[in-house]
Amino acid sequence: MSAPPRQRVLRRSAAALAAGWCLLASRANAGDIDFYRDVYPILKTNCIACHNKTTTKAALNMETPEAMRKGGDSGEGVIPGKGAESLIFEAAAHTGDVEMPPKGNKSGAHDLTPGELALLKTWIDQGAKSSVKQARQVVWQPLPPGVHPIYSVAMTQDGRFAACGRANQIFVYDLATRRLVTRLTDLSLAAPGSTRTMGVAHRAMVQAMAMSPDGMRLASGSYREVKIWRREDPAVTTRTGDPALSAVVSALSADGKRIVSADKKGTLHVLDAASGKALRTIATGNHASIALLCLSPDATKAAVHAADGVLGIWRIADGRRIAGKESLRGVRSLAWTHDGKAICAGGEDKVVRIWTLPAGDKAELVISRELKGATGAITAVETGTELLIAASADGKVRSWSVPAAKLVQEFPAAGVVALGVSGDGKLLAAGRGDGVVQVWDLAAGKPVIELSGDVETSARLAALDGVVARQGLEIAFQKQEAVRLEAQNKTLDELLKKTNETIATLRKDLDEKQNALRKASEAKAAARKAVAALAKPGKDAEDKLTAAELAENQALAAFKAREIHLKDAEVEARNDAAAQARNQNAVAAARAAAAQAKELQDKATANATETRKAAARMGQPLAVRFSADVGAVAATSRDGSLRVWAVASGFPIGYVPGGGATLAASLAACDDGGFEACSGDGSMVRLGTAPRWVLERTLGGDSAASPFVDRVNALRFSPDGKTLAAGGGEPTRSGDVSLWDVASGKLVAEWKETHADAVLSLDFAPDGKRLASGGADKVARVTDIASGKPVHVFEGHTRHILGLSFRADGRVLATAGADGVVVVWDMISGERTRKIEGWSKEVTSAQFIGATREILTSAGDNLVRIVDDGGRQIRALDKLPDFMQSAASAATARAIIGGGEDGLLRVWDGTTGRELAVFGADSSAKGP
């Protein structure tokens, strides 16, 4: 016969304890069992997920010995010295009425092993003592190959740079050129002499990132640490030409190392480009003004054309004239062939001639080709490997095959005064007289993109457009506020009308009640007089007096009731009138605010218009050049300025203001992607385009003193860029927020346990005075930064809050949740104004786009979606292949980015939804 169920349980428990004693013996002999070292890991794995201060099932918290002694709904959890009788042990050993952990639990908890049960019982028998929690030393393991999901992205407000975290790496991209800039590297993670960790930013996964408002810093968050990376833009190097040379025209060598300048007397001066030091002087003997100067590709020869029509070729090394031709008047442009064996010239006679250098010195140049077809004067000449391209005054650009002297291509391009061919011979940059540079596909003869403006102008326009947008929000709010208040006043008008009618009725009724009271008082006086006149009043007289007194009391009560009612109505009327007056004042204030905002908006609009007009009047380009990697085009103009644009996007990426007017200039492309420009007087400018990113400081880290107890899930810079907010906490236990001084790295404020679970999202209010935080506890909190006190607590989500964002005016907060909704909150009233649906999975991020009502979101249903705060969908970028974890936008929607589980960073034009580029973990980029 089998034993009863409880007896079988006791037998198994006894056997389990016996098996566990041998595991315990070594620790017991060594001394008392340490709670945090020995017991806590067991409880954390199998119990604490359901019994913690946040999720306290059965009101039992098992995180500390004190909490277990306090117990829960069923009494004390542990009884010091009595392990077998303690509720927690009975439940774990399955010897009591409750068996824990329950079967099929969602926490993945398992029954305790015999050794674990023995350890738990002995710890209780020893008094269930607490201990000092020791910091755990993290043992880092390499990430598995191929693990590269994107959990966070960030973008500069101007839309120039974007960053994404893939696994423990951070990739920074230039969205203008649509190329990888760098992979951020913490050199301290590399072993001495090793390069295996090059490109590694953190040891653990990158969970959060944020760009500073000025785009000069990037913060990244990982396990127990935050790193701040600083952008270092390349320095602009300038050198003013030597006035003593009196140079009127200068040419820069292709490698940017030498300058040849011609002075007013026709003398050539060979200079070191970097220092301006004179290396050689060449007396040409031609005292006519030199108008054109051109160096051969190898910088060994200079072609000089003077106003008297003499074209001379001079050897730089020894200063000898090796060839020439006289009577060449009307020449407007010179260019060497790529092999440096011939010089091309075009001008007023509409013909491009190729002059070949003869074998002997001082010989006359020989025409090898005459390229015809132009119907206007030749304004610019440039050569490719086998092509010669010329622009003419007839509004056409033509290309000829040099070997065959055959016209290959002709396309319309009016006003072209400068030409540049890309190194691969596929693209042509054509600078027009209005300052605009067009890029053409040479094979197709079609324009690719038009380049105009500069970095400073773009920044000014962005700032002015931001003012226009913010004032637009202000105007809309104030007008809406005026409408709301006027509607209230209309309602108050109706109420006041009814109240005044009630007052009139009550006053009339009060008069009647007063008359009735007077009559009742007179009747009572008469009855009392009648009773007093009788020697012995009879019952009738007394009854009449009693009735008269009762009638008077009733009349008095009725009078007082009407009097109170009248006073209440009069108070109500005064209150309504006062509210109406306040509303009228508020309406006037709202209209004045709207008018002021409109004035600011109109002023910004006018300034933007003037700025655009001024930008359209850019100086005429004197030289244009492609970068060595064909990713950028530079132009130097008559005002001495240097402008650089990205070919892929057309965005300005570099600018040096002009130092003065010049009639001649030349450009050289540097190996690092930058440019060098030389003005007619020999002045030099060097401009790089690729910034460096360096690790500025690390907050927290591996040490026990790290202020972060677990992963840093959220980061945000304050609007002034001086403060960095970090959010995290221990999952299921606490949600912490800390504020850091960016310049010094010092902790400014720390709000421990501001949430009941980990903080997952942060955003500063536009005024920088409040911080919104969203957590796994399903709550969004807005905290006053100065005092650390809560301003609002928003509860409306049923799952984690994964993203949140303030609108630019600070009056609206949007929160995105794992419940698949975006909730819009009114920051004035503290009320929910809208619940936006339409997602089938988690909404993983939310960001208001610039100073608009539009909210950019990413979601687990493979969707990047733009909605407005009224719930209207603006645009959906769907059919994405995988779960999208994060999205970000520039101050305008001209560029938005998104990343997710597939490890691809996608770039879209947010105004059209067109995909611009896709960047993979292998640093490759794909785009239209």
Side-chain angles (χ1 to χ4, degrees), residues 627 834 856:
S627 61
R834 184 77 57 177
L856 171 66

mmCIF file of all heavy atoms in Angstrom, residues 627 834 856:
data_model
loop_
_atom_site.group_PDB
_atom_site.id
_atom_site.type_symbol
_atom_site.label_atom_id
_atom_site.label_comp_id
_atom_site.label_asym_id
_atom_site.label_seq_id
_atom_site.Cartn_x
_atom_site.Cartn_y
_atom_site.Cartn_z
ATOM 1 N N SER A 627 36.410 66.414 -54.929
ATOM 2 C CA SER A 627 37.310 65.841 -53.936
ATOM 3 C C SER A 627 37.932 64.569 -54.498
ATOM 4 O O SER A 627 37.475 64.011 -55.500
ATOM 5 C CB SER A 627 36.559 65.527 -52.640
ATOM 6 O OG SER A 627 35.535 64.582 -52.886
ATOM 7 N N ARG A 834 -5.415 62.784 -26.070
ATOM 8 C CA ARG A 834 -5.580 61.922 -27.235
ATOM 9 C C ARG A 834 -4.877 60.589 -26.991
ATOM 10 O O ARG A 834 -3.813 60.530 -26.390
ATOM 11 C CB ARG A 834 -4.967 62.578 -28.473
ATOM 12 C CG ARG A 834 -5.159 61.834 -29.771
ATOM 13 C CD ARG A 834 -6.539 61.991 -30.322
ATOM 14 N NE ARG A 834 -6.879 63.397 -30.532
ATOM 15 C CZ ARG A 834 -8.019 63.801 -31.066
ATOM 16 N NH1 ARG A 834 -8.926 62.915 -31.437
ATOM 17 N NH2 ARG A 834 -8.262 65.088 -31.227
ATOM 18 N N LEU A 856 7.394 61.529 -34.809
ATOM 19 C CA LEU A 856 8.034 60.407 -35.478
ATOM 20 C C LEU A 856 8.073 59.222 -34.516
ATOM 21 O O LEU A 856 8.502 59.366 -33.374
ATOM 22 C CB LEU A 856 9.453 60.790 -35.900
ATOM 23 C CG LEU A 856 10.337 59.660 -36.436
ATOM 24 C CD1 LEU A 856 9.800 59.122 -37.763
ATOM 25 C CD2 LEU A 856 11.775 60.137 -36.597
#
